[in-house]
Short mmCIF file of all heavy atoms in Angstrom, two decimals:
data_model
loop_
_atom_site.label_atom_id
_atom_site.label_comp_id
_atom_site.label_asym_id
_atom_site.label_seq_id
_atom_site.Cartn_x
_atom_site.Cartn_y
_atom_site.Cartn_z
N VAL A 82 -35.57 -21.90 -38.61
CA VAL A 82 -34.95 -20.76 -37.95
C VAL A 82 -35.00 -20.95 -36.44
O VAL A 82 -34.06 -20.71 -35.76
CB VAL A 82 -35.63 -19.45 -38.36
CG1 VAL A 82 -35.28 -18.33 -37.42
CG2 VAL A 82 -35.26 -19.08 -39.77
N ALA A 85 -32.89 -25.64 -35.97
CA ALA A 85 -32.45 -26.29 -37.22
C ALA A 85 -32.17 -27.77 -37.05
O ALA A 85 -31.98 -28.45 -38.04
CB ALA A 85 -31.18 -25.59 -37.73
N ARG A 86 -32.17 -28.24 -35.83
CA ARG A 86 -31.96 -29.69 -35.65
C ARG A 86 -33.25 -30.43 -35.37
O ARG A 86 -33.25 -31.63 -35.07
CB ARG A 86 -30.93 -29.95 -34.51
CG ARG A 86 -29.53 -30.08 -35.02
CD ARG A 86 -28.56 -30.70 -34.00
NE ARG A 86 -28.30 -32.09 -34.28
CZ ARG A 86 -27.29 -32.58 -34.98
NH1 ARG A 86 -26.47 -31.74 -35.50
NH2 ARG A 86 -27.13 -33.86 -35.12
N ARG A 117 -28.67 -20.61 -46.72
CA ARG A 117 -27.25 -20.57 -46.96
C ARG A 117 -26.52 -21.68 -46.26
O ARG A 117 -25.61 -22.29 -46.77
CB ARG A 117 -26.68 -19.23 -46.48
CG ARG A 117 -27.07 -18.01 -47.29
CD ARG A 117 -25.98 -16.95 -47.15
NE ARG A 117 -26.33 -15.70 -47.78
CZ ARG A 117 -26.74 -14.63 -47.12
NH1 ARG A 117 -26.81 -14.65 -45.79
NH2 ARG A 117 -27.04 -13.52 -47.75
N THR A 120 -26.58 -23.61 -39.09
CA THR A 120 -25.49 -23.16 -38.19
C THR A 120 -26.01 -23.03 -36.78
O THR A 120 -27.13 -23.43 -36.47
CB THR A 120 -24.94 -21.81 -38.73
OG1 THR A 120 -23.80 -21.47 -37.99
CG2 THR A 120 -25.98 -20.71 -38.62
N ASP A 122 -26.28 -20.35 -33.40
CA ASP A 122 -26.18 -18.99 -32.86
C ASP A 122 -25.51 -19.11 -31.51
O ASP A 122 -26.02 -19.73 -30.61
CB ASP A 122 -27.60 -18.42 -32.74
CG ASP A 122 -27.59 -17.00 -32.24
OD1 ASP A 122 -26.55 -16.32 -32.30
OD2 ASP A 122 -28.65 -16.52 -31.79
N ARG A 125 -21.41 -15.24 -27.92
CA ARG A 125 -19.95 -15.01 -27.99
C ARG A 125 -19.38 -14.35 -26.76
O ARG A 125 -18.21 -14.41 -26.48
CB ARG A 125 -19.57 -14.22 -29.25
CG ARG A 125 -19.50 -15.15 -30.46
CD ARG A 125 -19.86 -14.42 -31.73
NE ARG A 125 -20.57 -15.30 -32.62
CZ ARG A 125 -19.98 -16.16 -33.42
NH1 ARG A 125 -18.68 -16.27 -33.44
NH2 ARG A 125 -20.72 -16.94 -34.20
N LEU A 128 -17.58 -16.69 -24.77
CA LEU A 128 -16.34 -17.24 -25.29
C LEU A 128 -15.16 -16.35 -25.05
O LEU A 128 -14.03 -16.73 -25.17
CB LEU A 128 -16.48 -17.48 -26.80
CG LEU A 128 -17.55 -18.54 -27.19
CD1 LEU A 128 -17.70 -18.58 -28.69
CD2 LEU A 128 -17.17 -19.87 -26.65
N ARG A 149 -13.13 -5.18 -48.84
CA ARG A 149 -14.22 -6.02 -48.44
C ARG A 149 -13.80 -7.48 -48.37
O ARG A 149 -14.08 -8.20 -47.40
CB ARG A 149 -15.41 -5.90 -49.43
CG ARG A 149 -16.68 -6.53 -48.95
CD ARG A 149 -17.60 -6.86 -50.12
NE ARG A 149 -17.22 -8.12 -50.73
CZ ARG A 149 -17.78 -9.31 -50.39
NH1 ARG A 149 -18.73 -9.34 -49.51
NH2 ARG A 149 -17.34 -10.43 -50.94
N ASP A 156 -10.72 -13.86 -39.74
CA ASP A 156 -11.30 -14.75 -38.75
C ASP A 156 -12.10 -14.00 -37.68
O ASP A 156 -13.11 -14.48 -37.21
CB ASP A 156 -10.17 -15.49 -38.04
CG ASP A 156 -10.37 -16.97 -38.18
OD1 ASP A 156 -11.22 -17.39 -39.00
OD2 ASP A 156 -9.74 -17.72 -37.46
N VAL A 158 -13.78 -11.35 -37.86
CA VAL A 158 -14.95 -10.58 -38.35
C VAL A 158 -16.20 -11.43 -38.38
O VAL A 158 -16.20 -12.53 -38.89
CB VAL A 158 -14.67 -10.01 -39.77
CG1 VAL A 158 -15.88 -9.36 -40.35
CG2 VAL A 158 -13.49 -9.05 -39.71
N GLU A 159 -17.29 -10.87 -37.82
CA GLU A 159 -18.53 -11.61 -37.82
C GLU A 159 -19.52 -11.08 -38.85
O GLU A 159 -20.20 -11.88 -39.52
CB GLU A 159 -19.16 -11.59 -36.43
CG GLU A 159 -18.50 -12.61 -35.51
CD GLU A 159 -18.92 -12.40 -34.07
OE1 GLU A 159 -20.08 -12.08 -33.80
OE2 GLU A 159 -18.03 -12.58 -33.19
N VAL A 163 -21.25 -3.34 -46.81
CA VAL A 163 -20.75 -2.30 -47.67
C VAL A 163 -21.90 -1.33 -47.96
O VAL A 163 -22.93 -1.74 -48.38
CB VAL A 163 -20.23 -2.90 -49.01
CG1 VAL A 163 -19.73 -1.79 -49.91
CG2 VAL A 163 -19.14 -3.92 -48.78
N ALA A 165 -23.73 2.02 -49.70
CA ALA A 165 -23.83 2.57 -51.08
C ALA A 165 -22.74 3.63 -51.31
O ALA A 165 -22.30 3.82 -52.46
CB ALA A 165 -25.23 3.12 -51.34
N VAL A 200 -16.38 0.61 -29.50
CA VAL A 200 -16.64 -0.62 -28.75
C VAL A 200 -18.13 -0.91 -28.72
O VAL A 200 -18.93 -0.02 -28.58
CB VAL A 200 -16.10 -0.51 -27.32
CG1 VAL A 200 -16.42 -1.74 -26.52
CG2 VAL A 200 -14.59 -0.29 -27.32
N SER A 202 -21.19 -2.66 -26.91
CA SER A 202 -21.52 -3.21 -25.59
C SER A 202 -22.60 -4.26 -25.70
O SER A 202 -22.82 -5.04 -24.78
CB SER A 202 -21.91 -2.13 -24.65
OG SER A 202 -23.05 -1.45 -25.13
N ASP A 203 -23.27 -4.33 -26.83
CA ASP A 203 -24.35 -5.29 -26.96
C ASP A 203 -24.58 -5.60 -28.45
O ASP A 203 -24.66 -4.68 -29.24
CB ASP A 203 -25.61 -4.77 -26.31
CG ASP A 203 -26.76 -5.75 -26.46
OD1 ASP A 203 -26.80 -6.70 -25.70
OD2 ASP A 203 -27.62 -5.55 -27.34
N THR A 207 -31.22 -11.36 -34.73
CA THR A 207 -32.65 -11.64 -34.54
C THR A 207 -33.23 -12.29 -35.71
O THR A 207 -33.93 -11.68 -36.52
CB THR A 207 -33.38 -10.30 -34.24
OG1 THR A 207 -33.21 -9.43 -35.34
CG2 THR A 207 -32.87 -9.64 -33.02
N ALA A 216 -42.82 -13.91 -46.74
CA ALA A 216 -43.13 -14.33 -48.10
C ALA A 216 -42.33 -13.49 -49.09
O ALA A 216 -41.84 -12.42 -48.81
CB ALA A 216 -44.63 -14.19 -48.35
N LEU A 217 -42.25 -14.00 -50.29
CA LEU A 217 -41.58 -13.28 -51.36
C LEU A 217 -42.45 -12.09 -51.74
O LEU A 217 -43.52 -12.24 -52.27
CB LEU A 217 -41.39 -14.21 -52.56
CG LEU A 217 -40.40 -13.87 -53.62
CD1 LEU A 217 -39.03 -13.68 -52.98
CD2 LEU A 217 -40.33 -15.00 -54.63
N GLU A 238 -27.41 -7.41 -55.33
CA GLU A 238 -28.44 -8.09 -54.58
C GLU A 238 -29.74 -8.24 -55.38
O GLU A 238 -30.14 -7.32 -56.08
CB GLU A 238 -28.76 -7.40 -53.25
CG GLU A 238 -28.65 -8.38 -52.10
CD GLU A 238 -29.35 -7.88 -50.88
OE1 GLU A 238 -28.89 -6.89 -50.29
OE2 GLU A 238 -30.35 -8.48 -50.48
N VAL B 314 -20.84 -24.59 -36.32
CA VAL B 314 -21.06 -23.30 -36.99
C VAL B 314 -21.06 -23.53 -38.50
O VAL B 314 -21.90 -22.96 -39.24
CB VAL B 314 -19.96 -22.30 -36.63
CG1 VAL B 314 -19.90 -21.14 -37.60
CG2 VAL B 314 -20.21 -21.77 -35.19
N ALA B 317 -24.67 -27.20 -38.87
CA ALA B 317 -25.31 -27.58 -37.62
C ALA B 317 -26.06 -28.91 -37.73
O ALA B 317 -26.48 -29.48 -36.75
CB ALA B 317 -26.25 -26.49 -37.16
N ARG B 318 -26.22 -29.41 -38.94
CA ARG B 318 -26.93 -30.70 -39.07
C ARG B 318 -25.98 -31.86 -39.26
O ARG B 318 -26.38 -32.98 -39.54
CB ARG B 318 -27.97 -30.64 -40.17
CG ARG B 318 -29.36 -30.20 -39.69
CD ARG B 318 -30.45 -30.49 -40.68
NE ARG B 318 -31.18 -31.71 -40.37
CZ ARG B 318 -32.28 -31.76 -39.63
NH1 ARG B 318 -32.78 -30.66 -39.10
NH2 ARG B 318 -32.88 -32.90 -39.43
N VAL B 347 -23.81 -21.19 -24.12
CA VAL B 347 -22.83 -20.83 -25.18
C VAL B 347 -23.50 -21.05 -26.54
O VAL B 347 -23.41 -20.18 -27.41
CB VAL B 347 -21.58 -21.73 -25.09
CG1 VAL B 347 -20.65 -21.49 -26.27
CG2 VAL B 347 -20.80 -21.39 -23.80
N ARG B 349 -26.85 -20.78 -28.27
CA ARG B 349 -28.17 -20.23 -28.01
C ARG B 349 -29.26 -21.04 -28.71
O ARG B 349 -30.29 -21.29 -28.21
CB ARG B 349 -28.25 -18.79 -28.54
CG ARG B 349 -27.49 -17.78 -27.72
CD ARG B 349 -28.10 -16.41 -27.94
NE ARG B 349 -27.34 -15.34 -27.33
CZ ARG B 349 -26.62 -14.48 -28.02
NH1 ARG B 349 -26.57 -14.53 -29.32
NH2 ARG B 349 -25.92 -13.53 -27.40
N THR B 352 -29.88 -23.00 -35.86
CA THR B 352 -30.70 -22.23 -36.73
C THR B 352 -30.21 -22.31 -38.17
O THR B 352 -29.28 -23.06 -38.46
CB THR B 352 -30.79 -20.74 -36.24
OG1 THR B 352 -31.77 -20.05 -37.00
CG2 THR B 352 -29.44 -20.06 -36.38
N ASP B 354 -29.02 -19.94 -41.64
CA ASP B 354 -28.61 -18.65 -42.17
C ASP B 354 -29.33 -18.51 -43.52
O ASP B 354 -29.08 -19.32 -44.43
CB ASP B 354 -27.09 -18.62 -42.34
CG ASP B 354 -26.60 -17.30 -42.87
OD1 ASP B 354 -27.36 -16.32 -42.81
OD2 ASP B 354 -25.46 -17.25 -43.37
N SER B 358 -32.43 -11.61 -48.91
CA SER B 358 -32.72 -10.83 -50.10
C SER B 358 -33.74 -11.54 -50.98
O SER B 358 -34.42 -10.93 -51.78
CB SER B 358 -31.44 -10.53 -50.90
OG SER B 358 -30.95 -11.73 -51.47
N GLN B 359 -33.78 -12.88 -50.84
CA GLN B 359 -34.73 -13.60 -51.65
C GLN B 359 -36.09 -13.67 -51.00
O GLN B 359 -37.04 -14.21 -51.60
CB GLN B 359 -34.21 -15.02 -51.89
CG GLN B 359 -32.92 -15.04 -52.68
CD GLN B 359 -32.63 -16.39 -53.30
OE1 GLN B 359 -33.53 -17.13 -53.63
NE2 GLN B 359 -31.36 -16.72 -53.44
N LEU B 360 -36.21 -13.23 -49.81
CA LEU B 360 -37.44 -13.44 -49.07
C LEU B 360 -38.21 -12.21 -48.71
O LEU B 360 -39.42 -12.24 -48.58
CB LEU B 360 -37.12 -14.15 -47.75
CG LEU B 360 -36.46 -15.51 -47.88
CD1 LEU B 360 -36.14 -16.03 -46.52
CD2 LEU B 360 -37.39 -16.46 -48.58
N ARG B 381 -33.16 0.33 -27.81
CA ARG B 381 -32.60 -0.96 -28.15
C ARG B 381 -33.67 -2.03 -28.16
O ARG B 381 -33.79 -2.82 -29.12
CB ARG B 381 -31.51 -1.36 -27.18
CG ARG B 381 -30.68 -2.55 -27.62
CD ARG B 381 -29.99 -3.25 -26.45
NE ARG B 381 -30.93 -4.12 -25.79
CZ ARG B 381 -31.04 -5.45 -26.05
NH1 ARG B 381 -30.28 -6.00 -26.94
NH2 ARG B 381 -31.95 -6.16 -25.42
N VAL B 390 -35.69 -5.80 -38.52
CA VAL B 390 -34.31 -5.68 -38.07
C VAL B 390 -33.62 -7.03 -37.98
O VAL B 390 -34.20 -7.99 -37.43
CB VAL B 390 -34.29 -4.99 -36.68
CG1 VAL B 390 -32.88 -4.98 -36.12
CG2 VAL B 390 -34.83 -3.56 -36.81
N VAL B 395 -25.16 -2.05 -29.90
CA VAL B 395 -25.10 -0.87 -29.06
C VAL B 395 -23.64 -0.56 -28.81
O VAL B 395 -22.90 -1.42 -28.34
CB VAL B 395 -25.80 -1.09 -27.70
CG1 VAL B 395 -25.73 0.16 -26.86
CG2 VAL B 395 -27.24 -1.47 -27.92
N ALA B 397 -20.35 1.57 -27.18
CA ALA B 397 -20.02 2.02 -25.83
C ALA B 397 -20.42 3.48 -25.63
O ALA B 397 -20.69 3.91 -24.52
CB ALA B 397 -18.53 1.83 -25.59
N ARG B 406 -34.25 -4.06 -43.13
CA ARG B 406 -34.76 -3.89 -44.50
C ARG B 406 -35.99 -3.01 -44.46
O ARG B 406 -36.94 -3.31 -43.74
CB ARG B 406 -35.13 -5.26 -45.08
CG ARG B 406 -33.91 -6.00 -45.50
CD ARG B 406 -34.24 -7.33 -46.13
NE ARG B 406 -33.00 -7.92 -46.55
CZ ARG B 406 -32.46 -7.77 -47.72
NH1 ARG B 406 -33.10 -7.10 -48.67
NH2 ARG B 406 -31.31 -8.31 -48.03
N VAL B 432 -27.72 3.11 -47.41
CA VAL B 432 -28.08 1.89 -48.11
C VAL B 432 -26.91 0.92 -48.04
O VAL B 432 -25.76 1.31 -48.18
CB VAL B 432 -28.41 2.20 -49.61
CG1 VAL B 432 -28.70 0.90 -50.34
CG2 VAL B 432 -29.60 3.14 -49.69
N SER B 434 -25.10 -2.18 -49.74
CA SER B 434 -25.11 -2.88 -51.04
C SER B 434 -24.59 -4.28 -50.87
O SER B 434 -24.76 -5.11 -51.75
CB SER B 434 -24.26 -2.13 -52.03
OG SER B 434 -22.94 -2.07 -51.60
N ASP B 435 -24.04 -4.62 -49.75
CA ASP B 435 -23.56 -5.94 -49.55
C ASP B 435 -23.47 -6.25 -48.04
O ASP B 435 -22.95 -5.45 -47.28
CB ASP B 435 -22.16 -6.09 -50.17
CG ASP B 435 -21.59 -7.48 -49.95
OD1 ASP B 435 -22.00 -8.37 -50.70
OD2 ASP B 435 -20.76 -7.64 -49.06
N THR B 439 -20.26 -13.88 -41.29
CA THR B 439 -19.21 -14.87 -41.37
C THR B 439 -18.89 -15.38 -39.99
O THR B 439 -17.92 -14.99 -39.37
CB THR B 439 -17.95 -14.23 -41.98
OG1 THR B 439 -17.55 -13.13 -41.12
CG2 THR B 439 -18.19 -13.71 -43.36
N SER B 441 -17.45 -17.24 -37.07
CA SER B 441 -16.26 -18.05 -36.79
C SER B 441 -15.94 -17.87 -35.34
O SER B 441 -16.50 -17.03 -34.64
CB SER B 441 -15.13 -17.60 -37.66
OG SER B 441 -14.43 -16.55 -37.03
N ALA B 448 -11.22 -18.56 -27.03
CA ALA B 448 -11.41 -17.88 -25.80
C ALA B 448 -11.35 -18.76 -24.59
O ALA B 448 -12.12 -19.69 -24.49
CB ALA B 448 -12.82 -17.29 -25.83
#
Side-chain angles (χ1 to χ4, degrees):
Chain A
V82 164
R86 266 196 101 93
R117 288 207 187 105
T120 189
D122 181 17
R125 279 150 215 278
L128 296 175
R149 192 202 82 94
D156 236 15
V158 173
E159 281 168 36
V163 179
V200 175
S202 60
D203 179 78
T207 59
L217 197 57
E238 232 197 295
Chain B
V314 163
R318 269 196 98 92
V347 173
R349 287 204 187 109
T352 189
D354 181 17
S358 69
Q359 297 198 31
L360 300 176
R381 191 202 82 93
V390 174
V395 179
R406 284 181 178 270
V432 177
S434 61
D435 179 77
T439 59
S441 86

